[in-house]
Amino acid sequence: MRSVLGVFLASLALLFFGFLFWGLNPLPYQSWSKPTDEPGAMEALRKHFPERGTYFCPSFDADPKVTDEKFRKGPLAFVFLLTPQGRPVEDPRIMIQGYLLSLVGLSLITVQMRQVRTALPTYRSRVLFAAVSGVIASVMILIGDVVWWQMPLPWKLWQGLYHVLGWTISGAVLARFVEDK
């Protein structure tokens, strides 16, 4: 029962940290590039990417020679169309979904902590376990995007910093609630 309370409190801590990191910190957004003609780019998105989804340009053709030619000519782009109709900047549904995601993820790390608790006898060892788990996940997933999909490194580094700090902070809360014995 202590672990359930820990998950709820760690999720709140993570939500608050996310607000500070993403909501009050302008630095991560400096890694984004801006289109030279934002209204024109938005209109092109509406026209050429009509529905929510992940697009890769150029698309992969059945003929590898055609695909190779398109790749060599460039440009290459991932386009994530979040919503064609728009939404408010501050959408409360996103906060609710984020909190629910935190509950699920932190429940899973709690299960891991409980399963290896004899190897994590101290508060410090449990926090370190969560932090290292965050580092591993960030490197494999976010740097994997840089390696495999050539996504720009600066944005992925900001995401990685957020995740490592978030895992550490939530791990510091969870570590108080995962019983030693």
Side-chain angles (χ1 to χ4, degrees):
M1 193 60 178
R2 283 177 45 86
S3 294
V4 172
L5 177 61
V7 168
F8 281 102
L9 293 176
S11 295
L12 284 174
L14 189 56
L15 190 69
F16 181 70
F17 170 68
F19 168 73
L20 294 175
F21 191 90
W22 298 115
L24 299 180
N25 178 11
L27 296 176
Y29 306 109
Q30 292 177 4
S31 68
W32 289 356
S33 300
K34 293 182 180 181
T36 55
D37 174 14
E38 189 170 296
M42 291 179 76
E43 187 54 41
L45 287 169
R46 278 186 202 87
K47 179 179 178 186
H48 299 290
F49 304 98
E51 58 189 49
R52 182 177 201 266
T54 302
Y55 298 86
F56 191 84
C57 294
S59 60
F60 289 86
D61 285 294
D63 182 352
K65 288 182 183 180
V66 173
T67 298
D68 186 61
E69 189 176 311
K70 288 179 183 179
F71 267 65
R72 289 181 187 279
K73 185 177 179 184
L76 307 179
F78 250 122
V79 177
F80 302 102
L81 189 68
L82 308 178
T83 174
Q85 66 273 7
R87 65 164 175 79
V89 172
E90 313 250 338
D91 187 345
R93 292 176 297 171
I94 292 173
M95 301 306 278
I96 293 166
Q97 290 171 347
Y99 183 73
L100 294 174
L101 176 64
S102 294
L103 287 174
V104 171
L106 294 173
S107 293
L108 293 172
I109 196 75
T110 300
V111 168
Q112 280 191 312
M113 274 188 196
R114 290 176 58 80
Q115 288 182 339
V116 296
R117 67 180 156 211
T118 56
L120 305 171
T122 65
Y123 171 78
R124 184 176 182 273
S125 65
R126 291 188 297 275
V127 173
L128 187 61
F129 177 78
V132 170
S133 297
V135 171
I136 292 167
S138 293
V139 167
M140 293 305 294
I141 296 165
L142 300 172
I143 303 304
D145 285 344
V146 172
V147 171
W148 296 109
W149 299 107
Q150 285 89 52
M151 291 190 175
L153 180 63
W155 175 240
K156 291 299 176 174
L157 289 176
W158 280 110
Q159 288 179 309
L161 179 62
Y162 165 76
H163 289 299
V164 169
L165 292 174
W167 279 65
T168 304
I169 290 166
S170 53
V173 174
L174 284 177
R176 289 278 180 220
F177 291 89
V178 174
E179 295 85 11
D180 293 350
K181 298 168 180 107

PDB file of all heavy atoms in Angstrom, residues 125-140:
ATOM      1  N   SER A 125      20.600   3.687  -2.953  1.00  0.00           N
ATOM      2  CA  SER A 125      20.717   2.673  -4.010  1.00  0.00           C
ATOM      3  C   SER A 125      19.444   2.629  -4.863  1.00  0.00           C
ATOM      4  O   SER A 125      19.515   2.408  -6.073  1.00  0.00           O
ATOM      5  CB  SER A 125      21.037   1.293  -3.424  1.00  0.00           C
ATOM      6  OG  SER A 125      19.973   0.803  -2.625  1.00  0.00           O
ATOM      7  N   ARG A 126      18.284   2.856  -4.238  1.00  0.00           N
ATOM      8  CA  ARG A 126      17.028   2.858  -5.005  1.00  0.00           C
ATOM      9  C   ARG A 126      16.923   4.100  -5.897  1.00  0.00           C
ATOM     10  O   ARG A 126      16.470   4.023  -7.039  1.00  0.00           O
ATOM     11  CB  ARG A 126      15.838   2.748  -4.053  1.00  0.00           C
ATOM     12  CG  ARG A 126      15.758   1.371  -3.377  1.00  0.00           C
ATOM     13  CD  ARG A 126      14.475   1.180  -2.592  1.00  0.00           C
ATOM     14  NE  ARG A 126      14.333   2.104  -1.472  1.00  0.00           N
ATOM     15  CZ  ARG A 126      14.847   1.918  -0.262  1.00  0.00           C
ATOM     16  NH1 ARG A 126      15.543   0.829   0.010  1.00  0.00           N
ATOM     17  NH2 ARG A 126      14.645   2.804   0.698  1.00  0.00           N
ATOM     18  N   VAL A 127      17.357   5.244  -5.395  1.00  0.00           N
ATOM     19  CA  VAL A 127      17.357   6.467  -6.220  1.00  0.00           C
ATOM     20  C   VAL A 127      18.319   6.281  -7.389  1.00  0.00           C
ATOM     21  O   VAL A 127      17.989   6.615  -8.536  1.00  0.00           O
ATOM     22  CB  VAL A 127      17.735   7.710  -5.389  1.00  0.00           C
ATOM     23  CG1 VAL A 127      17.892   8.935  -6.289  1.00  0.00           C
ATOM     24  CG2 VAL A 127      16.698   7.971  -4.307  1.00  0.00           C
ATOM     25  N   LEU A 128      19.496   5.759  -7.110  1.00  0.00           N
ATOM     26  CA  LEU A 128      20.483   5.530  -8.164  1.00  0.00           C
ATOM     27  C   LEU A 128      19.945   4.552  -9.212  1.00  0.00           C
ATOM     28  O   LEU A 128      20.159   4.737 -10.419  1.00  0.00           O
ATOM     29  CB  LEU A 128      21.792   5.018  -7.560  1.00  0.00           C
ATOM     30  CG  LEU A 128      22.964   4.886  -8.529  1.00  0.00           C
ATOM     31  CD1 LEU A 128      23.315   6.240  -9.145  1.00  0.00           C
ATOM     32  CD2 LEU A 128      24.180   4.310  -7.794  1.00  0.00           C
ATOM     33  N   PHE A 129      19.226   3.535  -8.769  1.00  0.00           N
ATOM     34  CA  PHE A 129      18.608   2.569  -9.686  1.00  0.00           C
ATOM     35  C   PHE A 129      17.645   3.279 -10.640  1.00  0.00           C
ATOM     36  O   PHE A 129      17.675   3.050 -11.852  1.00  0.00           O
ATOM     37  CB  PHE A 129      17.866   1.500  -8.873  1.00  0.00           C
ATOM     38  CG  PHE A 129      17.125   0.494  -9.710  1.00  0.00           C
ATOM     39  CD1 PHE A 129      17.798  -0.537 -10.336  1.00  0.00           C
ATOM     40  CD2 PHE A 129      15.750   0.586  -9.853  1.00  0.00           C
ATOM     41  CE1 PHE A 129      17.106  -1.470 -11.103  1.00  0.00           C
ATOM     42  CE2 PHE A 129      15.058  -0.325 -10.618  1.00  0.00           C
ATOM     43  CZ  PHE A 129      15.735  -1.370 -11.247  1.00  0.00           C
ATOM     44  N   ALA A 130      16.811   4.154 -10.114  1.00  0.00           N
ATOM     45  CA  ALA A 130      15.871   4.894 -10.957  1.00  0.00           C
ATOM     46  C   ALA A 130      16.614   5.822 -11.908  1.00  0.00           C
ATOM     47  O   ALA A 130      16.288   5.910 -13.098  1.00  0.00           O
ATOM     48  CB  ALA A 130      14.886   5.692 -10.088  1.00  0.00           C
ATOM     49  N   ALA A 131      17.629   6.510 -11.407  1.00  0.00           N
ATOM     50  CA  ALA A 131      18.389   7.441 -12.242  1.00  0.00           C
ATOM     51  C   ALA A 131      19.094   6.713 -13.385  1.00  0.00           C
ATOM     52  O   ALA A 131      19.035   7.145 -14.543  1.00  0.00           O
ATOM     53  CB  ALA A 131      19.405   8.204 -11.385  1.00  0.00           C
ATOM     54  N   VAL A 132      19.739   5.600 -13.072  1.00  0.00           N
ATOM     55  CA  VAL A 132      20.437   4.835 -14.112  1.00  0.00           C
ATOM     56  C   VAL A 132      19.438   4.259 -15.115  1.00  0.00           C
ATOM     57  O   VAL A 132      19.704   4.236 -16.325  1.00  0.00           O
ATOM     58  CB  VAL A 132      21.325   3.732 -13.486  1.00  0.00           C
ATOM     59  CG1 VAL A 132      21.859   2.773 -14.539  1.00  0.00           C
ATOM     60  CG2 VAL A 132      22.468   4.361 -12.706  1.00  0.00           C
ATOM     61  N   SER A 133      18.279   3.856 -14.646  1.00  0.00           N
ATOM     62  CA  SER A 133      17.235   3.384 -15.565  1.00  0.00           C
ATOM     63  C   SER A 133      16.839   4.499 -16.527  1.00  0.00           C
ATOM     64  O   SER A 133      16.641   4.260 -17.722  1.00  0.00           O
ATOM     65  CB  SER A 133      16.009   2.907 -14.784  1.00  0.00           C
ATOM     66  OG  SER A 133      16.332   1.798 -13.974  1.00  0.00           O
ATOM     67  N   GLY A 134      16.727   5.721 -16.016  1.00  0.00           N
ATOM     68  CA  GLY A 134      16.409   6.867 -16.865  1.00  0.00           C
ATOM     69  C   GLY A 134      17.496   7.162 -17.878  1.00  0.00           C
ATOM     70  O   GLY A 134      17.219   7.496 -19.038  1.00  0.00           O
ATOM     71  N   VAL A 135      18.749   7.025 -17.460  1.00  0.00           N
ATOM     72  CA  VAL A 135      19.865   7.234 -18.385  1.00  0.00           C
ATOM     73  C   VAL A 135      19.830   6.179 -19.491  1.00  0.00           C
ATOM     74  O   VAL A 135      19.962   6.500 -20.685  1.00  0.00           O
ATOM     75  CB  VAL A 135      21.225   7.208 -17.645  1.00  0.00           C
ATOM     76  CG1 VAL A 135      22.384   7.193 -18.637  1.00  0.00           C
ATOM     77  CG2 VAL A 135      21.348   8.396 -16.707  1.00  0.00           C
ATOM     78  N   ILE A 136      19.649   4.928 -19.112  1.00  0.00           N
ATOM     79  CA  ILE A 136      19.613   3.846 -20.102  1.00  0.00           C
ATOM     80  C   ILE A 136      18.483   4.073 -21.107  1.00  0.00           C
ATOM     81  O   ILE A 136      18.687   3.998 -22.320  1.00  0.00           O
ATOM     82  CB  ILE A 136      19.464   2.474 -19.408  1.00  0.00           C
ATOM     83  CG1 ILE A 136      20.718   2.139 -18.613  1.00  0.00           C
ATOM     84  CG2 ILE A 136      19.162   1.372 -20.432  1.00  0.00           C
ATOM     85  CD1 ILE A 136      20.558   0.975 -17.650  1.00  0.00           C
ATOM     86  N   ALA A 137      17.294   4.358 -20.605  1.00  0.00           N
ATOM     87  CA  ALA A 137      16.147   4.582 -21.498  1.00  0.00           C
ATOM     88  C   ALA A 137      16.412   5.768 -22.423  1.00  0.00           C
ATOM     89  O   ALA A 137      16.142   5.697 -23.632  1.00  0.00           O
ATOM     90  CB  ALA A 137      14.877   4.811 -20.682  1.00  0.00           C
ATOM     91  N   SER A 138      16.942   6.849 -21.887  1.00  0.00           N
ATOM     92  CA  SER A 138      17.191   8.045 -22.691  1.00  0.00           C
ATOM     93  C   SER A 138      18.232   7.790 -23.773  1.00  0.00           C
ATOM     94  O   SER A 138      18.059   8.191 -24.920  1.00  0.00           O
ATOM     95  CB  SER A 138      17.638   9.203 -21.802  1.00  0.00           C
ATOM     96  OG  SER A 138      16.573   9.596 -20.966  1.00  0.00           O
ATOM     97  N   VAL A 139      19.308   7.134 -23.411  1.00  0.00           N
ATOM     98  CA  VAL A 139      20.352   6.858 -24.398  1.00  0.00           C
ATOM     99  C   VAL A 139      19.806   5.951 -25.506  1.00  0.00           C
ATOM    100  O   VAL A 139      19.961   6.252 -26.698  1.00  0.00           O
ATOM    101  CB  VAL A 139      21.599   6.227 -23.737  1.00  0.00           C
ATOM    102  CG1 VAL A 139      22.556   5.641 -24.778  1.00  0.00           C
ATOM    103  CG2 VAL A 139      22.310   7.262 -22.881  1.00  0.00           C
ATOM    104  N   MET A 140      19.179   4.873 -25.120  1.00  0.00           N
ATOM    105  CA  MET A 140      18.722   3.914 -26.125  1.00  0.00           C
ATOM    106  C   MET A 140      17.620   4.476 -27.023  1.00  0.00           C
ATOM    107  O   MET A 140      17.605   4.228 -28.226  1.00  0.00           O
ATOM    108  CB  MET A 140      18.248   2.616 -25.454  1.00  0.00           C
ATOM    109  CG  MET A 140      19.377   1.852 -24.781  1.00  0.00           C
ATOM    110  SD  MET A 140      20.766   1.460 -25.880  1.00  0.00           S
ATOM    111  CE  MET A 140      19.990   0.330 -27.013  1.00  0.00           C
TER     112      MET A 140
END
